[in-house]
């Protein structure tokens, strides 16, 4: 009898730990693919509802709530989704699950605005993009680079073209790259 009770308690603890660990796991982009804004809001609310009055969220739950809010901001600006091209062939493909394909770069603009080709091409890469708003309320897309400063795409006036910047929201410089949306 003691063996069965011990086995029952051990299984219960393992299941509770497994369930808790699963809820703490960060969301993958594939988990967000195809979800509506209402579904995201319901997921966020269920995290809040799982806590009592005045009870704080865990670090994992806080991270999940922030991921869900990021995705809601992306869906609010769905016009960003799709392919964007730079005049020298570089491309960006923003997807609804928060991923972005950043195309290979074979050159850069110098301080006079002249495009200079590199000896070796910078390879393309995949990452996750974030959407924030500047002080004036305009959307700014942030794309992390494997090395160096983030790439910024401030959509201040147009929804069909954007100048690329590098740095952070406080201090950034134009790269000279001008992207237009492929319809």
């Amino acid at each position: 009898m003691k063996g069965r009770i011990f086995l029952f308690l051990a299984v219960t603890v393992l299941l509770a730990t497994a369930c808790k660990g699963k809820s703490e796991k960060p969301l993958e982009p594939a988990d967000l693919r195809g979800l509506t804004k209402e579904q995201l809001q319901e997921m966020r609310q269920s995290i809040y509802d799982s806590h009592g009055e005045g009870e704080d969220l865990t670090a994992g739950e806080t991270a999940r709530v922030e991921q869900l809010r990021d995705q809601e901001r992306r869906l609010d600006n769905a016009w960003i989704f799709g392919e964007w091209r730079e005049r020298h062939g570089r491309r960006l493909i923003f997807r609804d699950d928060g991923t972005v394909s950043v195309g290979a770069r074979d050159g850069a603009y110098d301080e006079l605005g002249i495009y200079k080709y590199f000896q070796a091409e910078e390879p393309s890469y995949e990452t996750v993009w974030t959407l924030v708003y500047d002080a004036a309320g305009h959307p700014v897309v942030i794309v992390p680079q494997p090395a160096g400063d983030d790439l910024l795409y401030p959509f201040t006036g147009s929804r069909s073209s954007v100048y690329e910047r590098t740095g952070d929201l406080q201090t950034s410089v134009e790269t000279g790259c001008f992207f237009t949306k492929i319809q």
Side-chain angles (χ1 to χ4, degrees):
M1 186 68 156
K2 284 185 183 181
R4 286 185 182 174
I5 293 174
F6 177 76
L7 181 61
F8 174 75
L9 290 175
V11 169
T12 304
V13 169
L14 287 174
L15 286 175
T17 304
C19 291
K20 178 112 172 127
K22 187 171 186 174
S23 68
E24 296 286 322
K25 184 185 115 192
L27 295 169
E28 296 295 324
D31 298 334
L32 302 173
R33 193 171 294 133
L35 294 178
T36 65
K37 188 173 178 183
E38 291 76 23
Q39 291 170 317
L40 295 168
Q41 290 169 341
E42 288 171 11
M43 290 171 67
R44 191 164 38 91
Q45 189 60 43
S46 70
I47 293 172
Y48 292 132
D49 291 344
S50 69
H51 290 277
E53 188 75 27
E55 190 176 330
D56 292 336
L57 297 177
T58 65
E61 289 169 329
T62 302
R64 286 176 71 97
V65 166
E66 189 55 39
Q67 282 181 297
L68 294 170
R69 284 188 178 145
D70 284 345
Q71 184 64 10
E72 288 175 42
R73 282 191 292 273
R74 287 184 197 107
L75 292 178
D76 284 340
N77 294 280
W79 54 268
I80 294 173
F81 303 156
E83 184 174 352
W84 296 74
R85 286 256 178 200
E86 203 272 332
R87 58 186 162 231
H88 288 95
R90 186 166 191 220
R91 57 143 183 76
L92 298 166
I93 300 173
F94 294 103
R95 298 183 195 97
D96 70 341
D97 63 1
T99 61
V100 60
S101 175
V102 180
R105 183 181 294 221
D106 57 4
Y109 293 91
D110 66 10
E111 60 278 348
L112 298 175
I114 300 170
Y115 194 78
K116 305 282 182 166
Y117 288 92
F118 299 140
Q119 291 287 340
E121 180 180 85
E122 290 180 6
S124 61
Y125 63 95
E126 293 277 329
T127 189
V128 175
W129 60 284
T130 305
L131 190 127
V132 297
Y133 297 96
D134 64 11
H138 300 292
V140 178
V141 172
I142 301 173
V143 176
Q145 292 191 86
D149 290 335
D150 292 338
L151 296 173
L152 305 174
Y153 301 94
F155 293 96
T156 54
S158 174
R159 298 293 187 245
S160 61
S161 61
V162 66
Y163 280 97
E164 180 182 77
R165 301 183 70 82
T166 185
D168 58 40
L169 291 174
Q170 270 63 27
T171 58
S172 65
V173 290
E174 278 193 12
T175 64
C177 292
F178 180 71
F179 287 86
T180 54
K181 176 100 185 246
I182 304 300
Q183 302 300 335

